[in-house]
Amino acid sequence: MATVAAVIIGAVVAVLVAAGVWLFFIAPQVDVTPGKTVRVRVASGSSTRDIANKLLDAGVIANPNGFALHSRLVGADGRMQPGTYELTTGMSNADAIAVLETGPLLDLISVTIPEGFRVDQVAERLERVAGIPKKEFLALAEHEAPRFAERHPALAGVYKGSLEGYLFPKTYRLKPGTTAEQAIEIMLSQFDEETASLDYSYAESRGLTRAQVVTMASMIERESRLDSERPKVASVIYNRLDRDMRLKIDATIEYVLREKRLRLTNADLYTKTPYNTYLHKGLPPGPISSPGIASLQAATAPAQTDFIYYVLTGKDGSHTFTTNLADFLVAKKKSKEVFGR
């Protein structure tokens, strides 16, 4: 009888313990309607218990003790990031902890780097929007490409160690406090990702290196407003290179002048710089802007044409392409009629 009594007592104790565990760690302490989006602010220095109570108040979790226990078991204590989050009511402890360990999206700084920006323009944008010192950014971006080349092989041998052309244009979401080096790493990684699927075989068959493809793409980016015209502009560049003609691309001089003009002056055409494609044959020594993927694709897969001239003739940014000088001069006259000079 004593044994039976002990078993009964043990069972009762087990049930009571289980009930206690359920009540303490699992039982909902608030009624939660799942699936609603709520905004939660986690203050800097918050303990796991502080965070649990905050989540409980917002209805994200239903039991702070269970949340704290889960955090302890998975080693998340001290790793959850402060900031403002958009969370969902009725989340599991595991899901909530995963989001908090990643960090708040709402506190990220959105910075848009447009296609065609030069390095100095990227630096100005990052300083103004994200607080990254322009001077520090330029010190790295203008001269320190070898520092990044091991992780980004496309940078091997770039002109004068400049990252011009390789800071991929895109909208980025940066954490507050992102350094110049971290921002550059992010943009270079994006360049690697975006260009990974490009087929360079056509360009290489025409004697171009991958670095020269980026240089060509950077000119296409500055010359073309319409995506549909980028392959045609690329074809003109290829055709003029084949014929050993000077490229005579205005954007290469504008790169040095640091401004975009509708018409260059005669004096501009004699600007002494290796980037001046009116004075020097072939491609300029390096990119003149950050090309987007459409320009990079055009440089690797140009349209097959006989065009060797083009001129801006449409206020929508469209050009007239021609195969000979006579037709080009006619188009140039039309351009002056459209733009008044």
Side-chain angles (χ1 to χ4, degrees):
M1 288 297 293
T3 300
V4 173
V7 169
I8 293 173
I9 292 172
V12 170
V13 170
V15 169
L16 291 174
V17 169
V21 168
W22 184 85
L23 285 171
F24 191 74
F25 291 108
I26 302 174
Q29 295 187 9
V30 293
D31 291 329
V32 173
T33 301
K36 294 174 59 179
T37 298
V38 292
R39 184 168 291 196
V40 177
R41 175 74 182 173
V42 175
S44 180
S46 295
S47 66
T48 299
R49 175 58 63 176
D50 294 334
I51 296 171
N53 290 334
K54 182 76 73 172
L55 297 179
L56 178 71
D57 291 342
V60 176
I61 60 172
N63 188 306
N65 300 319
F67 179 88
L69 176 62
H70 194 104
S71 174
R72 177 69 58 84
L73 293 175
V74 300
D77 288 354
R79 289 166 40 187
M80 290 178 276
Q81 305 296 315
T84 303
Y85 296 82
E86 278 192 355
L87 300 172
T88 305
T89 56
M91 293 177 76
S92 69
N93 292 327
D95 288 346
I97 289 170
V99 172
L100 294 169
E101 283 188 304
T102 300
L105 294 177
L106 292 179
D107 284 352
L108 297 181
I109 301 169
S110 181
V111 183
T112 297
I113 306 299
E115 291 88 350
F117 258 30
R118 302 182 308 267
V119 161
D120 60 301
Q121 293 174 306
V122 174
E124 289 171 0
R125 179 66 59 89
L126 288 174
E127 181 174 70
R128 179 170 57 82
V129 179
I132 297 174
K134 176 182 175 182
K135 186 176 180 180
E136 293 179 14
F137 187 89
L138 288 178
L140 293 170
E142 291 186 331
H143 307 292
E144 297 292 336
R147 180 170 174 168
F148 301 93
E150 183 175 349
R151 292 183 297 277
H152 307 283
L155 299 176
V158 295
Y159 185 63
K160 290 189 173 181
S162 171
L163 297 176
E164 188 74 88
Y166 296 87
L167 302 173
F168 196 82
K170 185 181 175 68
T171 296
Y172 295 95
R173 294 175 65 81
L174 304 177
K175 290 182 178 179
T178 295
T179 66
E181 183 163 356
Q182 289 168 337
I184 287 172
E185 269 294 340
I186 291 169
M187 288 188 276
L188 292 177
S189 296
Q190 191 65 38
F191 178 91
D192 294 341
E193 180 180 334
E194 298 280 351
T195 59
S197 61
L198 288 179
D199 181 359
Y200 292 90
S201 58
Y202 178 83
E204 290 170 347
S205 74
R206 305 293 290 269
L208 298 182
T209 65
R210 297 192 177 194
Q212 288 175 316
V213 168
V214 178
T215 297
M216 183 187 293
S218 73
M219 293 190 294
I220 297 169
E221 187 64 61
R222 295 294 296 176
E223 289 286 287
S224 312
R225 187 190 303 177
L226 306 178
D227 283 351
S228 60
E229 289 193 346
R230 298 183 198 280
K232 291 181 182 178
V233 173
S235 76
V236 171
I237 296 174
Y238 274 104
N239 291 340
R240 294 181 74 95
L241 289 174
D242 282 349
R243 300 183 189 197
D244 201 27
M245 298 172 68
R246 290 184 177 85
L247 298 180
K248 296 187 176 181
I249 290 181
D250 291 2
T252 60
I253 296 177
E254 293 169 348
Y255 176 65
V256 179
L257 298 178
R258 290 296 198 248
E259 62 179 284
K260 186 169 179 58
R261 300 178 180 177
L262 178 59
R263 311 273 185 218
L264 293 175
T265 66
N266 287 333
D268 293 335
L269 303 183
Y270 290 95
T271 302
K272 291 183 178 180
T273 166
Y275 287 90
N276 187 339
T277 54
Y278 279 82
L279 293 179
H280 305 287
K281 289 184 178 179
L283 295 167
I288 62 171
S289 70
S290 291
I293 192 62
S295 293
L296 287 159
Q297 289 170 339
T300 56
Q304 297 304 304
T305 78
D306 293 323
F307 298 137
I308 54 175
Y309 298 96
Y310 62 86
V311 63
L312 182 68
T313 51
K315 290 189 175 180
D316 62 348
S318 59
H319 295 78
T320 295
F321 294 82
T322 75
T323 60
N324 58 76
L325 180 59
D327 289 345
F328 169 71
L329 293 176
V330 172
K332 193 173 180 180
K333 183 179 179 182
K334 177 184 175 184
S335 175
K336 290 183 178 179
E337 292 172 356
V338 172
F339 294 102
R341 55 193 172 95

